[in-house]
Structure formats: structure tokens, C-alpha cells
Amino acid sequence: MSSSGQFANEEARDILLAGISHDLHRQINSISVQLEEWTKKRGQQLEQALPGRRGRLSEIANGCGQTAKTLMRIVNDADDDAYGNVSDMLRDFEQKITKPLRNAAKELRNIANEHEPSARSGMMIELKRHGRGYERAAELLDSLSKFAAIDSKPKYERVNFGTELESIIWDLRGIFEREKVQWDAVRLTQARQVTIVTDRGLFSAIASNLISNAVVHTRPHRLPTIDVVCQLVTSASVEEAFETANIRGLKLGSDTVWACLRVADNGPGIPIDSRKSVFQVFKQGSIARRTGKGSGVGLALVHYALQVLDGAVRVSASKRGGAEFTVWLPSGPSDNLPQHVLV
């Protein structure tokens, strides 16, 4: 995944800026206004529960309000082509927006945990909810930044699914902890037996979003609750699967080796009438909208990355009762590289 040079394409740039100016800016502003109003409304109760902290809560709200204004200045500079390359803009987003939002979220959690034993637990839950709002805003910006950094020209290399997936799951530990999902909720099957030639960064973006999506929506139950299954498949079986899934427009060379990645969970699933729209930017299924989980970007990023790699994705119902995402990924050109092999 490239993060230098000009934008890989105008579509990614437009999606990034539109999402930030219309969705993210409003989200940060709304949380900041609500936190400020909540602080004033709780006044005396806050003084009793969190002595000396009321003023700091107002400072956090005002600081994040200023962060929202900084966000729009960066967007306006990008619209005016003030950034010579995407990496400079993404660096500003990380340092001036994402980092302050995450710091605010962490501080709100810490303040809530400092409360007096006599404080009403409901009030502390409300304070933590504001912190989670800032954390979700930071995650949305991170997802949009990854979208913009996708390079339309893949950098091919040998990728072993087992090695990559184990690393990805480790990198997602923060989401596991936040959602209170145990590590052994995920069961990897045949991952180390699959190696193909593909773009490591794009594969990571695809798998990371699918697994994190499963973690967010899985329900506590007898472990494991999330299945990640990998296998090598023939062009003939892929062609049959595409016909069943009504997937059109992809080249299916008879000598191409395909990898299949399936991620299934036991969550609420995705209604049939929402299964096409979930891959559109800022489109979420009815359940995701109702629960407030997800950003509306992750699955769109999966779809876009697969377009770059000439792959495909399908969503269906899983045997566990939740959603199952099936990804087909062709092994790319192997010039000067060892052929794809089973390991």
C-alpha cells in the first residue's frame, strides 16, 4: 500500500475528502457540543463525583471542537491542491486530528475511572460514551486515510496467508480488548497452507477489515465464534462460484491459481436487501446503523482493494447464524518471483 506520491486516483481522493467534510467533521462537532452541554447540565454532580475535573472536561470539549476546525482547514488545503502528495496530507491528519482525538478519548476514560465511589455509575458510563465517540471518529479517519493510500498499481510479492493473518490479528488487539472478545474466538483453518503472489498491503487491508468487522459484530458464545478459512482453488471452481454469486467482468485464466478466504461470525448477520449496498462508501446495513458499530468505510475499502487485484467478494449467511464474507484472490504475475506454492 503506497503512501507517497500523488493520489493513486481521483476517486479515492474524492471519497476521502467528501467523507471527512460531510461525515467526520459533523461527528466530531456533535460529540464536542454534547460533551460541553452534558458538563454544564451535570454541574454540581460532577463536582462531587470528579472534584476539580469539571473544567478539564470543558477544555477537552473545546479542544476537540478546535480539532474539527483544523480538520476542515486540511480539507480546504487539499481541495486547493496545497499538498504535493498524499503522504503529507495523511501525516497532518494523523498528527493534528487522529492523535488528539485518541488522546481525548483516553483521558475521558481515565477521568471516568477516577470517580468517587459514591458517584452514580450511570453518569460515568455517559462520560465514557463521549470518549468512545471520539475514538470512533479517529477510526473513521484512519479508514478513510487507508482508502486514499491504496495504490492502483499493486506491488506483487509472495504472501503466506498464515503469517499475515496471525500478524493482522495481533495488530487488532485493541479492537479485541474494546469489544471484550477473547483471542481464541478466532479459529484459523489451513492459513499456513496458502501462499500466493499478491500485494501484501492490499491483502492486509482486506483481511484486517473483514476480521475486525467480525470481531465488532460477534456475540459471546461457546468459542470459537469467528472462522477464518483459507484454501487454494481452481479456476473452474471459481468460475462456478462466480456464476452462483452472479459476479461478472473478471478474467478467469485457466492456469490461474486462486486463493479463497472466508471470514464467518455468529453476529446478527446482514439482511439480504442490504448485501449489495454494504460495499458502498458510507452505506451500512440496518443492524450496523442501529447499533452504531462500523464506519461505513471498511467494506468499501475491501471491495475497492479487490478491484485493484482483480478479485471479488461475496457476503452470505454463515453457518453460525451471522455473516460470511468470501474473498477470491488470483495469484498475480510472478516475474522474477518463485511460483505460488503450497507450504
Side-chain angles (χ1 to χ4, degrees), residues 38 112 115 120-132:
W38 180 84
H115 68 82
R120 293 170 55 187
S121 60
M123 191 164 63
M124 296 305 106
I125 291 174
E126 290 174 2
L127 184 56
K128 289 181 179 180
R129 187 177 297 122
H130 291 300
R132 284 197 297 271

Side-chain angles (χ1 to χ4, degrees), residues 176-315:
F176 277 84
E177 292 169 1
R178 186 192 69 199
E179 299 296 329
K180 296 181 173 58
V181 175
Q182 298 180 44
W183 289 102
D184 51 359
V186 179
R187 178 171 61 187
L188 290 177
T189 302
Q190 298 181 345
R192 286 193 172 273
Q193 278 80 42
V194 176
T195 297
I196 65 170
V197 176
T198 189
D199 184 295
R200 187 182 304 276
L202 292 180
F203 173 76
S204 178
I206 293 164
S208 177
N209 276 285
L210 292 180
I211 295 173
S212 63
N213 187 69
V215 171
V216 166
H217 291 100
T218 195
R219 293 180 290 195
H221 201 267
R222 186 176 62 185
L223 300 177
T225 61
I226 301 169
D227 288 312
V228 181
V229 181
C230 311
Q231 62 184 132
L232 290 176
V233 293
T234 65
S235 291
S237 64
V238 172
E239 186 174 7
E240 182 179 346
F242 283 9
E243 185 68 28
T244 302
N246 196 29
I247 295 173
R248 299 284 186 269
L250 288 178
K251 298 177 181 178
L252 296 174
S254 59
D255 59 345
T256 301
V257 171
W258 290 74
C260 181
L261 170 69
R262 295 200 307 275
V263 180
D265 61 56
N266 72 341
I270 299 176
I272 294 176
D273 59 358
S274 298
R275 289 178 186 173
K276 289 185 178 180
S277 62
V278 293
F279 295 108
Q280 299 173 20
V281 183
F282 306 124
K283 295 290 186 180
Q284 294 176 292
S286 56
I287 295 173
R289 290 195 302 271
R290 187 167 62 249
T291 60
K293 294 184 175 183
S295 64
V297 176
L299 293 179
L301 190 152
V302 168
H303 185 258
Y304 183 72
L306 283 166
Q307 284 184 314
V308 174
L309 294 172
D310 292 325
V313 60
R314 178 189 68 184
V315 60

